[in-house]
Amino acid sequence: MQPLVMLKMARSLSRLLTGCQRFASPPSVYAHLCHSSTCLPFRSSFVRTMGALPFSFPLKPRDFSLPNSAWSPEMTRLYDFYNNQCEVENESGEKQKGPWRRLPSYNRTLKYATGGAYLSKFIQSKNRLFTRSIKTAGAAFEYVMFLNKEEQRCVCIFQAGHLLEGPPGHVHGGAIATMIDSVTGALAAFMSGAVMTANLTINYRSPIPLGSTVLLESSVDNMEGRKTFISCKVTSTDGSKLHTEATALFLAIKVSHLLGM
Amino acid sequence: MQPLVMLKMARSLSRLLTGCQRFASPPSVYAHLCHSSTCLPFRSSFVRTMGALPFSFPLKPRDFSLPNSAWSPEMTRLYDFYNNQCEVENESGEKQKGPWRRLPSYNRTLKYATGGAYLSKFIQSKNRLFTRSIKTAGAAFEYVMFLNKEEQRCVCIFQAGHLLEGPPGHVHGGAIATMIDSVTGALAAFMSGAVMTANLTINYRSPIPLGSTVLLESSVDNMEGRKTFISCKVTSTDGSKLHTEATALFLAIKVSHLLGM
């Protein structure tokens, strides 16, 4: 790799990371940094630079939060419901931002995206975000999150695949905990920047059948200094059945601490 | 498939399920039934019957709790430490059961193993236990559990693979919650038979680097009627660093309820 290209990549990646941190990076000690759904997508300068590289690297990372053929009609319906509220028309017929915002979701961390010494690790790293590590559509975690800034809420539409089994025919408690951590972490990160999960308290009320689509709704309970308190409910999509209730506590952190800088 | 073979399979599977239930099946609403690590391995009568079938089905399911090439030296050392205490010599030099027992671990549920109407579903089911759904050695959850009946304790040696990432370079909080649910659920199931997770309360103290091996130690705090209270600590293998602390509540259930019978 030519030094100039390396330098351009390092700069681009460095800018990218800075952007992510500024935006309010993500979930947690137990959430994610720049592969998190709260992260900005790749910038064009980065894409251009990567395009000149003499090795294979996806120019445009896959956004796992977009619909695919494995999504159930119910999941697609709910996606459309929230997605249609991401951009709305005002009285003059002009399009403007709506109350909701869809969070893109990638499977690679950008933890090494500080350029220079970490660059090769970034390219070579096999690490994948836990919830996106199985690529087969519909097999594991299918989900998309939407944020409502004004209401300080995050909703997640989650379809549980057949690789998430715990009790016979039902979703593993750990898989539910994983989604709760992810959703509450995304909201906490949106509110407070980079955060780490400090506590999860989960009450399982009713098992979730494999293959079903459920709704996770989280909201901010309180904020005190570095602490963000979030609550979350997992229900059937019509809200009639409560599957799980949870509270979560997140602590704001310096990202550099996690990156070992 | 010939009716006689079907019948023999149904009977064998039925006996198998009965055995699992009697033994104290597994973790949870949020743990597992017969693919759980607390379950008896396949009986020989079942294996013989399956061998006569005109389609491919593994005669001997893979026990994921046995060492493989991806295990770190530390994981292997700890495995040997506990495994050597599963069978000990008495004063006369005779071998006898030791204080610890290794729990085998499979990736398929036997939920449909009630014979008859459910049999084809059992064979065809794509469902896999969440913690064993990725087969690539070392990529995700590598773990083995040991039970100490007298001390009412369960230890788990856990090596976190690169597909479990949450914060950059560290294990996802949901993956840690998953292991905590699995280990406490195995102990609760050993104590109380089939159980469901009712509550998990998890305090994250220090992030776990990807690739590292940690120890989960769980013990019974209390038992009241249908309730089993378990606590769990996740530490470095030498015990010097506390990563996570948790308590869990499990409720005894009738397996038939989960199977929809």
Side-chain angles (χ1 to χ4, degrees):
Chain A
M1 197 182 302
Q2 296 174 18
L4 182 60
V5 177
M6 285 283 290
L7 182 64
K8 286 175 73 176
M9 278 183 67
R11 285 183 182 156
S12 299
L13 289 166
S14 179
R15 284 199 300 273
L16 178 61
L17 179 64
T18 310
C20 288
Q21 286 174 307
R22 194 169 50 233
F23 176 69
S25 26
S28 76
V29 164
Y30 310 130
H32 346 284
L33 197 62
C34 289
H35 50 188
S36 134
S37 50
T38 52
C39 181
L40 290 173
F42 282 61
R43 292 181 182 182
S44 58
S45 61
F46 173 71
V47 173
R48 277 199 306 273
T49 309
M50 296 302 288
L53 294 176
F55 54 83
S56 170
F57 191 87
L59 293 184
K60 200 173 176 185
R62 175 182 165 192
D63 182 351
F64 285 79
S65 73
L66 295 172
N68 66 55
S69 60
W71 282 22
S72 66
E74 182 64 356
M75 177 127 180
T76 307
R77 186 187 68 78
L78 282 164
Y79 172 87
D80 290 340
F81 175 79
Y82 286 102
N83 202 46
N84 288 338
Q85 296 179 66
C86 291
E87 197 176 64
V88 295
E89 284 188 0
N90 62 15
E91 292 175 353
S92 317
E94 294 167 341
K95 287 186 176 177
Q96 61 183 35
K97 282 185 179 176
W100 291 95
R101 180 190 166 190
R102 182 180 63 80
L103 299 181
S105 177
Y106 309 105
N107 72 347
R108 286 182 75 105
T109 177
L110 295 187
K111 68 171 169 165
Y112 300 117
T114 49
Y118 294 101
L119 195 57
S120 62
K121 288 187 181 176
F122 162 59
I123 301 296
Q124 292 163 12
S125 175
K126 294 189 299 180
N127 298 351
R128 293 293 181 272
L129 178 64
F130 179 41
T131 53
R132 299 300 192 188
S133 60
I134 294 176
K135 287 186 176 179
T136 310
F141 295 98
E142 288 290 346
Y143 66 92
V144 54
M145 297 187 205
F146 291 89
L147 259 173
N148 188 311
K149 186 178 177 181
E150 196 173 311
E151 297 178 3
Q152 300 185 344
R153 289 171 57 206
C154 183
V155 300
C156 174
I157 312 158
F158 168 43
Q159 180 182 313
H162 59 274
L163 298 185
L164 304 184
E165 190 172 43
H170 295 81
V171 186
H172 196 290
I176 298 171
T178 299
M179 285 309 303
I180 288 171
D181 185 32
S182 300
V183 177
T184 54
L187 181 55
F190 180 76
M191 300 299 296
S192 308
V195 293
M196 305 270 274
T197 316
N199 172 270
L200 281 181
T201 298
I202 305 172
N203 290 305
Y204 297 96
R205 306 293 187 197
S206 170
I208 301 173
L210 280 181
S212 61
T213 302
V214 295
L215 209 56
L216 290 93
E217 295 184 272
S218 66
S219 55
V220 178
D221 288 337
N222 199 12
M223 295 180 72
E224 295 172 11
R226 289 177 60 208
K227 299 178 180 175
T228 305
F229 298 85
I230 311 269
S231 59
C232 184
K233 283 188 180 185
V234 187
T235 65
S236 56
T237 54
D238 64 1
S240 65
K241 187 160 199 168
L242 176 64
H243 291 292
T244 321
E245 284 178 301
T247 58
L249 166 61
F250 293 88
L251 293 180
I253 59 158
K254 288 185 179 176
V255 179
S256 56
H257 176 69
L258 264 182
L259 294 175
M261 294 188 292
Chain B
M1 199 182 303
Q2 296 174 18
L4 182 59
V5 176
M6 284 284 289
L7 182 62
K8 285 176 72 177
M9 279 184 65
R11 284 182 184 159
S12 299
L13 289 165
S14 180
R15 284 200 300 272
L16 180 61
L17 180 64
T18 310
C20 289
Q21 285 175 308
R22 194 170 49 234
F23 177 70
S25 26
S28 75
V29 165
Y30 309 128
H32 347 283
L33 197 62
C34 291
H35 51 186
S36 134
S37 49
T38 53
C39 181
L40 291 174
F42 281 62
R43 293 180 180 183
S44 57
S45 62
F46 173 71
V47 173
R48 277 199 307 274
T49 309
M50 295 302 288
L53 295 175
F55 53 83
S56 170
F57 192 86
L59 294 184
K60 197 173 179 184
R62 174 181 165 193
D63 181 351
F64 284 80
S65 73
L66 295 173
N68 66 54
S69 60
W71 282 23
S72 67
E74 181 66 357
M75 178 129 180
T76 306
R77 185 186 69 78
L78 282 165
Y79 172 86
D80 290 340
F81 175 80
Y82 286 102
N83 202 47
N84 288 340
Q85 297 180 64
C86 291
E87 198 177 62
V88 294
E89 286 188 0
N90 62 17
E91 292 174 354
S92 317
E94 293 169 339
K95 287 187 175 178
Q96 62 182 35
K97 280 186 180 176
W100 291 95
R101 180 191 165 188
R102 182 180 62 80
L103 300 180
S105 177
Y106 309 105
N107 72 348
R108 286 183 74 105
T109 178
L110 295 187
K111 70 171 171 168
Y112 299 117
T114 49
Y118 294 100
L119 195 57
S120 61
K121 287 186 182 176
F122 162 60
I123 301 296
Q124 293 163 13
S125 174
K126 293 189 297 178
N127 297 353
R128 294 294 181 272
L129 178 64
F130 179 40
T131 54
R132 299 301 193 186
S133 59
I134 294 176
K135 287 186 176 179
T136 309
F141 296 97
E142 289 290 346
Y143 66 92
V144 54
M145 296 187 206
F146 292 89
L147 260 173
N148 189 312
K149 186 178 178 181
E150 196 173 311
E151 298 178 2
Q152 300 185 346
R153 290 170 58 206
C154 183
V155 299
C156 174
I157 311 159
F158 168 42
Q159 180 182 313
H162 60 272
L163 298 184
L164 304 184
E165 190 171 44
H170 295 81
V171 185
H172 196 290
I176 298 170
T178 299
M179 285 308 304
I180 289 171
D181 185 33
S182 300
V183 177
T184 55
L187 181 56
F190 181 76
M191 300 299 297
S192 309
V195 293
M196 306 272 272
T197 317
N199 172 269
L200 281 181
T201 299
I202 304 172
N203 290 305
Y204 296 96
R205 306 293 187 197
S206 170
I208 301 173
L210 280 182
S212 62
T213 302
V214 294
L215 208 57
L216 289 93
E217 295 184 272
S218 65
S219 55
V220 178
D221 288 338
N222 199 12
M223 295 180 71
E224 295 173 10
R226 289 178 61 210
K227 298 178 182 175
T228 305
F229 297 84
I230 311 268
S231 58
C232 183
K233 283 188 180 183
V234 187
T235 65
S236 55
T237 53
D238 64 0
S240 65
K241 188 159 197 169
L242 176 64
H243 291 294
T244 320
E245 284 178 301
T247 58
L249 166 61
F250 293 88
L251 293 180
I253 60 157
K254 288 185 179 176
V255 179
S256 56
H257 176 70
L258 264 183
L259 295 175
M261 293 187 293

